Amino acid sequence: MSTFRQHCRRWGRFIANRARFPQATIGDSSFVSGDSQLSPAVTLGKECRVFSARLGTGTRLGDEVVIGPRSQVMRSSLGRACSVEADAEVIGSALAEFVAIQTRSRINQVQIGRFSYVAREAYLNTVVIGRFSSIGPRVMAGLGEHPTDLISTAPVFYSTLRQSGASFAPKQAVLERRPITIGHDVWVAANVFIRDGVTIGDGAIVAAGAVVHQDVPAYAMVGGVPAKLIRFRYPADQIERLLALQWWGWDEARLRAAAPWFAQPRLEAFFEHTAVRAQPVRS
Ligand SMILES: CC(C)(COP(=O)(O)OP(=O)(O)OC[C@H]1O[C@@H](n2cnc3c(N)ncnc32)[C@H](O)[C@@H]1OP(=O)(O)O)[C@@H](O)C(=O)NCCC(=O)NCCS
């Protein structure tokens, strides 16, 4: 397309966006479909695309963010090149750059580091996820707990949250939710349930269908109901070396250059070819 045409198209979008959503701040070359709903004080960076979605007050999208049809993003910040697929919900969350939330997933009070993704139909509540982590389809994390040592497990007796629409409790008597932490480069496979308060260490793998009820050490592979150690992925001394390397903090250029050494199994070759110190990055 000629530069003149591109220029006209950009201006066309700018004028249409200003007319439809006068209180939002919409960056250059961004497209917002006319049937989208934008609350006041929503900010979009450059080259974003929002299709038939709802963006709530306080939401900030970085450059090149894509929001799919019928999705909702409320009180959240999304870094550069994040995507939220159709029918997904992102509430009160902070996503670093290059984070994808796949279709029909719901995340609430979740922080996610760069290059991580949440596959379809996952439900995550009050979770901190590191960088380069893969959260599989239908993973459930942070659903809350009922006490097991009281006469009744019904929240109406101990919770003021009115789960059933009523509460007999004069004050909150039980801690119902505890945050979950998932480290860097973790793979949580399909249909995993993670109990409140659990920490999953860097480099760990959780096998499909597991119920994780206690902390998982770094570079462990766990599976089953309840989840048990299957094996450690590397000997203890090599795990220490991997953790000391903190490669998930490297800048993008360094990661791209080192990519072939990540996509092969020999640890010694990996250490040898990635030994140069890198500049850590934020987010
Ligand atoms: C865990 C998994 C990655 C296999 O890893 P692997 O290193 O190839 O492991 P193996 O197949 O050699 O199995 C090792 C042991 O783990 C057990 N195991 C494998 N998968 C398991 C599971 N889902 N739950 C419990 N135990 C499992 C095996 O029975 C075997 O046990 P044994 O040593 O007593 O015989 C794989 O089984 C899995 O769960 N994949 C998930 C796929 C998925 O969810 N994809 C969605 C995309 S995110």
Side-chain angles (χ1 to χ4, degrees), residues 90-148:
V90 175
I91 318 287
S93 295
L95 278 49
E97 59 179 10
F98 293 100
V99 171
I101 308 298
Q102 293 184 4
T103 186
R104 293 192 294 280
S105 283
R106 183 178 201 277
I107 68 166
N108 181 30
Q109 308 290 331
V110 175
Q111 284 176 46
I112 308 184
R114 63 192 181 128
F115 301 108
S116 292
Y117 74 96
V118 176
R120 62 193 176 279
E121 293 165 24
Y123 177 94
L124 312 178
N125 191 28
T126 324
V127 185
V128 177
I129 301 171
R131 303 162 183 160
F132 301 90
S133 285
S134 310
I135 310 300
R138 293 175 297 282
V139 166
M140 304 276 238
L143 275 71
E145 301 263 344
H146 295 226
T148 54

Side-chain angles (χ1 to χ4, degrees), residues 29-105:
S29 295
S30 284
F31 168 79
V32 184
S33 68
D35 55 353
S36 295
Q37 293 174 42
L38 269 57
S39 302
V42 163
T43 307
L44 277 70
K46 286 184 245 167
E47 295 175 39
C48 292
R49 282 171 289 151
V50 178
F51 302 99
S52 315
R54 223 174 123 204
L55 305 184
T57 299
T59 290
R60 301 178 71 83
L61 308 185
D63 296 343
E64 300 163 45
V65 170
V66 180
I67 310 291
R70 300 171 302 282
S71 286
Q72 291 193 44
V73 182
M74 304 288 166
R75 304 183 305 281
S76 297
S77 65
L78 278 62
R80 180 171 66 100
C82 283
S83 61
V84 176
E85 290 185 1
D87 300 296
E89 283 179 61
V90 175
I91 318 287
S93 295
L95 278 49
E97 59 179 10
F98 293 100
V99 171
I101 308 298
Q102 293 184 4
T103 186
R104 293 192 294 280
S105 283

Side-chain angles (χ1 to χ4, degrees), residues 1 13 36 38 101 109 153 156 161 166 172 222 261 271-272 274:
M1 203 188 306
R13 280 182 183 172
S36 295
L38 269 57
I101 308 298
Q109 308 290 331
T153 57
V156 71
L161 298 178
Q172 186 69 25
V222 301
W261 302 105
F271 284 127
E272 191 185 322
T274 59

Side-chain angles (χ1 to χ4, degrees), residues 101-282:
I101 308 298
Q102 293 184 4
T103 186
R104 293 192 294 280
S105 283
R106 183 178 201 277
I107 68 166
N108 181 30
Q109 308 290 331
V110 175
Q111 284 176 46
I112 308 184
R114 63 192 181 128
F115 301 108
S116 292
Y117 74 96
V118 176
R120 62 193 176 279
E121 293 165 24
Y123 177 94
L124 312 178
N125 191 28
T126 324
V127 185
V128 177
I129 301 171
R131 303 162 183 160
F132 301 90
S133 285
S134 310
I135 310 300
R138 293 175 297 282
V139 166
M140 304 276 238
L143 275 71
E145 301 263 344
H146 295 226
T148 54
D149 56 348
L150 304 184
I151 303 299
S152 171
T153 57
V156 71
F157 294 111
Y158 59 79
S159 174
T160 54
L161 298 178
R162 302 168 68 91
Q163 284 89 339
S164 67
S167 173
F168 306 149
K171 61 180 176 55
Q172 186 69 25
V174 160
L175 191 61
E176 292 180 85
R177 289 188 187 280
R178 283 182 300 146
I180 288 168
T181 305
I182 297 175
H184 306 291
D185 194 26
V186 172
W187 176 25
V188 181
N191 293 313
V192 167
F193 177 89
I194 305 171
R195 188 180 182 183
D196 275 32
V198 158
T199 295
I200 300 180
D202 299 328
I205 295 175
V206 182
V211 171
V212 185
H213 71 119
Q214 59 187 25
D215 291 356
V216 176
Y219 286 95
M221 188 164 92
V222 301
V225 180
K228 295 210 162 51
L229 181 69
I230 295 173
R231 63 180 165 85
F232 276 98
R233 297 179 58 200
Y234 302 105
D237 57 331
Q238 304 293 19
I239 291 175
E240 258 178 52
R241 281 179 82 186
L242 277 166
L243 292 174
L245 205 56
Q246 297 275 306
W247 61 259
W248 31 80
W250 293 355
D251 65 34
E252 197 176 321
R254 174 123 187 88
L255 286 160
R256 274 188 198 282
W261 302 105
F262 281 90
Q264 59 86 43
R266 288 171 299 121
L267 213 44
E268 278 311 323
F270 172 76
F271 284 127
E272 191 185 322
H273 287 90
T274 59
V276 184
R277 272 203 77 71
Q279 293 300 311
V281 292
R282 290 184 301 150

